Amino acid sequence: MKNVLIISSSPRKKGNSQILCEQFKKGAEAKGHQVTLVRLMDLDIGFCRACDACMKNGGQCILKDDMKEVLELYKKAEVLVLATPVYFYGISAQMKTFIDRTYPIWQNLGKKDVYYIVSAGLGKEIVERSLGDLDGFVEHLEEYRIAGRVYATNVMDAGLVADQAVFREAYNMGYSI
């Protein structure tokens, strides 16, 4: 049994990437894994202030918000799922804030199997252009393996993934852990 952490950065509760996160979670749980799905929009997480205080005080951020608990979940996870919609050729602001706020532990990001769940209103080329921030973050892990990717393309309206093959793909990817 593995400890799985899903970071969902969809601002919509019934958004496409959020729906795919829930499917991934169902698949992983069906296989017996312990899964925590963190929906960033439900949390109070401020922007990094770039003050470097965390580098001087043992990795403790000066911001007293929900990111402290998210970092604790992150440290325990063996499997990390990064899920984001694509807006204007990039990851969501919520995902970028999550990535920035891992700065207090950036030198100890650990070893993880990583999965991507990305949804976009346009085609696959839009998704591929948006991956720089995710890839850049993952490349800072001590050791990682991109274990799977689900790309939901041409899904502008919320909920469209429920009627597509990618819906089952997300479940199967979670089940394959």
Side-chain angles (χ1 to χ4, degrees):
M1 181 171 88
K2 292 191 177 183
N3 189 334
V4 179
L5 176 62
I6 303 171
I7 301 294
S8 173
S9 67
S10 177
R12 300 188 291 190
K13 285 187 178 182
K14 297 188 187 293
N16 292 305
S17 60
Q18 178 66 34
I19 289 169
L20 295 175
C21 286
E22 292 164 7
Q23 284 301 108
F24 185 100
K25 181 178 189 278
K26 286 179 186 176
E29 288 175 335
K31 200 71 175 282
H33 300 293
Q34 180 180 340
V35 183
T36 303
L37 196 162
V38 172
R39 193 172 127 66
L40 296 175
M41 281 297 294
D42 293 341
L43 304 176
D44 175 28
I45 299 176
F47 300 108
C48 178
R49 303 294 194 260
C51 65
D52 269 348
C54 61
M55 294 295 110
K56 299 171 186 148
N57 66 16
Q60 295 299 311
C61 182
I62 62 164
L63 299 177
K64 305 302 178 207
D65 60 12
D66 294 332
M67 192 61 189
K68 182 176 181 176
E69 289 79 26
V70 174
L71 287 177
E72 290 305 314
L73 292 169
Y74 174 89
K75 290 176 191 175
K76 294 175 187 173
E78 300 161 270
V79 175
L80 176 66
V81 180
L82 299 172
T84 184
V86 173
Y87 297 136
F88 292 98
Y89 300 90
I91 63 174
S92 71
Q94 293 81 2
M95 181 59 75
K96 182 63 170 105
T97 299
F98 164 78
I99 290 170
D100 290 348
R101 289 294 304 281
T102 63
Y103 185 59
I105 63 167
W106 80 272
Q107 293 175 320
N108 299 297
L109 290 173
K111 301 174 183 178
K112 303 193 185 311
D113 286 339
V114 180
Y115 293 83
Y116 290 169
I117 295 174
V118 184
S119 65
L122 298 173
K124 187 175 179 184
E125 66 281 353
I126 300 302
V127 170
E128 290 170 348
R129 286 180 64 182
S130 72
L131 296 178
D133 288 325
L134 294 181
D135 289 341
F137 171 66
V138 170
E139 289 169 7
H140 278 86
L141 274 69
E142 294 164 48
E143 191 178 308
Y144 68 91
R145 176 177 71 99
I146 303 293
R149 301 170 189 254
V150 168
Y151 299 155
T153 57
N154 299 305
V155 289
M156 185 68 75
D157 296 327
L160 288 178
V161 295
D163 296 327
Q164 297 184 2
V166 71
F167 186 75
R168 186 76 180 151
E169 286 175 39
Y171 178 91
N172 290 340
M173 193 165 70
Y175 192 81
S176 73
I177 296 174

